[in-house]
Amino acid sequence: MTSGFIKYRQSINNINIDEVEKKIAKIANVDEHKDNFIKVSHNMFYNNFIDYKEIQDKFDYLITIHEYHDLISDSSNDVPLQIDSPKLAMVIMDKVNNFTTLKDKLENLAKNEDYKLFKEYYTEAYSTVVGWYMDFHNFFKFPQISSACYEDQKNNIFAHSDMTLTNIICTEDDKFILIDPDSFCWHTELELVFNYNKTLQRLSQVGFGSFA
C-alpha cells in the first residue's frame, strides 16, 4: 500500500485488461487520488462493500473505503454485476504511509535478540488479533449490519477471510491496522472459528519459533 495507484494485472478468463485499464483511467484520476490507495480486485462483491461501509467507521483498525466501481459488466445483459460476482471491481480507500507488516515487525524484533521487547510487542499483537475476532463474532453480524438478505441464514458473520501476518500492518505509532478489505465476506460460525485458529497458528509459529 505504498503507492497511490496499484493495478493487479491478474489473469482472469475473458477479461480484456486494456479495456479495464481504460475504464480505470476514466473513473479515477491518479493525480486526484494521490492520497488514496486504489485497488483492482476480483474478490469484492458490491453487497459486501455496502456491508463493509456499515462497520468501517465504528472500528478504528479498519481501512476506510470511499468508492466502489464495477469494471466488468455481465456480457449477457450488459449491466454491472452487483449481487453476483463483479468479476472485477475497483475500490478507492485510505492510504497508509510509513508502515511495516506484522510479519516483518516481529521478525525484525527477533533479529535484535531483545526477548523482553519482542515478548511485549508479540503479546500486544496476539491480544489485538483475538480482540478483532471477538468483534467479528459479536458485532459484525445481523442486526448490527442491516443486510436483511442474511437474516436467519447460516452465513451470518461478516469477517476477514485472509488474516495473514502481511495483512496486518503496524504504523509508526505502533497502531495495528487490518488491510485488504476486499477479503471481508460472510461466514458461518464454524468458518470463523477455523480462520481464527489458522490466524493464531500463524502467530504462534512466529512467537514460539523466533527464540527457539
Side-chain angles (χ1 to χ4, degrees), residues 167-198:
N167 278 335
I168 301 170
I169 61 174
C170 316
T171 63
E172 288 184 322
D173 57 352
D174 288 333
K175 178 182 178 182
F176 299 105
I177 297 177
L178 180 58
I179 62 171
D180 203 26
D182 50 322
S183 289
F184 269 88
C185 58
W186 290 90
H187 296 73
T188 64
E189 188 150 344
L190 182 61
E191 289 170 339
L192 182 72
V193 171
F194 175 81
N195 287 338
Y196 171 78
N197 289 332
K198 186 165 62 174

Side-chain angles (χ1 to χ4, degrees), residues 69-148:
H69 300 276
D70 283 302
L71 296 177
I72 300 296
S73 297
D74 185 345
S75 59
S76 63
N77 53 23
D78 197 31
V79 297
L81 292 171
Q82 295 186 348
I83 300 303
D84 296 321
S85 170
K87 292 186 180 177
L88 210 60
M90 181 178 73
V91 289
I92 300 175
M93 65 188 82
D94 280 351
K95 181 173 68 170
V96 180
N97 296 309
N98 303 320
F99 69 87
T100 184
T101 66
L102 179 57
K103 179 178 183 294
D104 289 341
K105 179 74 173 183
L106 292 174
E107 289 178 350
N108 289 335
L109 287 173
K111 288 178 183 177
N112 292 334
E113 298 183 350
D114 186 335
Y115 177 71
K116 182 180 179 181
L117 182 61
F118 175 87
K119 180 182 176 182
E120 289 176 355
Y121 199 89
Y122 174 82
T123 303
E124 182 180 359
Y126 196 98
S127 175
T128 296
V129 170
V130 171
W132 289 352
Y133 272 99
M134 290 178 66
D135 288 344
F136 295 164
H137 184 268
N138 294 321
F139 300 106
F140 289 46
K141 61 200 304 184
F142 186 90
Q144 286 86 354
I145 298 176
S146 60
S147 294

Side-chain angles (χ1 to χ4, degrees), residues 43-55:
N43 294 325
M44 184 162 248
F45 299 86
Y46 177 77
N47 53 318
N48 286 350
F49 160 71
I50 296 299
D51 296 332
Y52 184 85
K53 282 183 70 68
E54 285 200 49
I55 56 162

Side-chain angles (χ1 to χ4, degrees), residues 7-40:
K7 294 193 290 270
Y8 289 176
R9 297 178 64 91
Q10 296 156 314
S11 177
I12 304 176
N13 291 336
N14 302 321
I15 290 181
N16 186 317
I17 295 297
D18 291 333
E19 289 299 317
V20 168
E21 292 182 347
K22 289 178 182 178
K23 285 188 177 183
I24 293 171
K26 287 181 180 179
I27 295 170
N29 183 290
V30 177
D31 293 331
E32 291 178 359
H33 291 285
K34 61 184 179 181
D35 294 325
N36 297 117
F37 179 76
I38 300 176
K39 181 176 182 180
V40 175

